[in-house]
Amino acid sequence: KQWYQRRVRAGCSNWIEALLRAEGTLKYPLKSTEVYKVHQSISAPHRMVNFLKPGARKVRDNFSFTVVRNPWTRMVSGYRDKLSDEKTQGNDKRWLGMEIVQEMRGVSGPQLYELYPTFLEYLQYLIKHKTTDNVHFMPQHNILCLASARYDYIVPLEYSSVLGREVWGHVNSSVSLLGSYDNVSDPRKQTSAQRAREWFSTIDKQIIDKLYELYKEDFVMLNYSNFTDPNFPLPLH
């Protein structure tokens, strides 16, 4: 049995989709517009909570892995998919976007439904609240529980197409990931990476420094590159 600790905004939908195919729950790959379904009842029987109940089989000796992502691209991905006016597969955190606008601009009333936070407002909100308790935006290490959890593999999303083969070897499956939503295999050329280079380069250094401190453990975990690095968002070697 294998255990995957999902990291929101680190390709978790694609990994769950592939694992469901490896398990035999899914008989065919989902379309990119259907991947959201893996977070519904189809994956419920396979969730960890079912195996932590009294009488459930032990999981200590099972193969376990998780996937993490460069914090800069993860911040951009979260904003694009959940808070911006960009048409994406997500945008289900509209309430948080309105909360950010209300707090940052002092706006209230029906007009909130027509407004979206800017990228800068989003970053300022993260700093003001020391990130957030929403899993799409909180630091990855807050959920990983590295001090007490055991992982056989911590896979950087940026290398998942290569390191994923080792994972599938342990799972004894030949399935493959669906790939990025913009169909670009090189993580350096994917949209969120390009936007991160562009957007963060316009942000005041004091804000950048504060964000780095908030997500510092995520950066250090795999020695992730800065958005100014030529090979961003890859981990540094």
Side-chain angles (χ1 to χ4, degrees):
K1 186 71 178 181
Q2 69 279 344
W3 300 105
Y4 163 58
Q5 170 65 48
R6 75 176 186 134
R7 292 277 52 71
V8 180
R9 307 249 57 81
C12 67
S13 298
N14 283 353
W15 280 95
I16 295 172
E17 192 271 351
L19 286 168
L20 288 173
R21 279 189 282 124
E23 193 79 31
T25 303
L26 281 176
K27 304 302 181 184
Y28 56 87
L30 293 177
K31 298 177 182 178
S32 60
T33 55
E34 300 177 316
V35 173
Y36 70 90
K37 294 179 180 179
V38 303
H39 301 293
Q40 299 176 350
S41 59
I42 190 173
S43 62
H46 304 287
R47 292 172 187 164
M48 177 69 82
V49 65
N50 296 315
F51 299 90
L52 297 180
K53 296 176 181 177
R57 32 184 190 168
K58 294 182 179 180
V59 300
R60 184 178 301 275
D61 297 327
N62 296 144
F63 173 72
S64 61
F65 73 100
T66 190
V67 182
V68 296
R69 186 178 193 176
N70 188 303
W72 296 125
T73 50
R74 185 169 177 267
M75 278 184 260
V76 168
S77 174
Y79 172 75
R80 291 179 58 214
D81 192 41
K82 301 298 179 183
L83 303 175
S84 75
D85 60 356
E86 184 176 344
K87 302 302 180 185
T88 67
Q89 303 300 318
N91 207 257
D92 59 339
K93 298 295 179 287
R94 188 73 186 93
W95 61 269
L96 181 58
M98 291 189 291
E99 180 179 307
I100 293 173
V101 171
Q102 184 175 29
E103 188 169 320
M104 295 294 109
R105 303 183 202 175
V107 176
S108 60
Q111 60 183 315
L112 273 175
Y113 292 96
E114 305 297 326
L115 300 174
Y116 294 83
T118 65
F119 186 62
L120 178 59
E121 289 171 336
Y122 157 64
L123 300 180
Q124 291 172 327
Y125 181 90
L126 291 178
I127 291 170
K128 181 177 180 180
H129 293 273
K130 300 187 185 303
T131 74
T132 167
D133 59 0
N134 187 286
V135 293
H136 290 273
F137 311 104
M138 68 167 55
Q140 296 163 97
H141 73 269
N142 284 5
I143 313 172
L144 282 172
C145 303
L146 289 176
S148 56
R150 177 190 64 81
Y151 296 100
D152 293 295
Y153 280 78
I154 297 180
V155 179
L157 177 67
E158 297 77 12
Y159 289 140
S160 59
S161 61
V162 177
L163 296 180
R165 297 171 193 163
E166 296 186 38
V167 171
W168 298 126
H170 284 278
V171 177
N172 194 26
S173 173
S174 59
V175 302
S176 58
L177 296 171
L178 294 177
S180 66
Y181 290 122
D182 51 9
N183 297 313
V184 178
S185 58
D186 188 339
R188 295 168 295 184
K189 297 180 181 179
Q190 290 170 358
T191 305
S192 285
Q194 294 180 331
R195 297 275 175 86
R197 290 192 198 94
E198 177 187 346
W199 292 353
F200 281 115
S201 66
T202 67
I203 302 298
D204 185 85
K205 185 178 182 300
Q206 288 187 333
I207 292 177
I208 296 296
D209 290 344
K210 290 178 180 178
L211 289 168
Y212 178 82
E213 287 301 317
L214 287 174
Y215 293 90
K216 185 174 182 178
E217 291 187 53
D218 286 1
F219 282 107
V220 172
M221 182 165 38
L222 288 179
N223 196 21
Y224 267 118
S225 57
N226 192 26
F227 58 86
T228 57
D229 190 277
N231 286 317
F232 171 80
L234 304 180
L236 297 170
H237 298 293

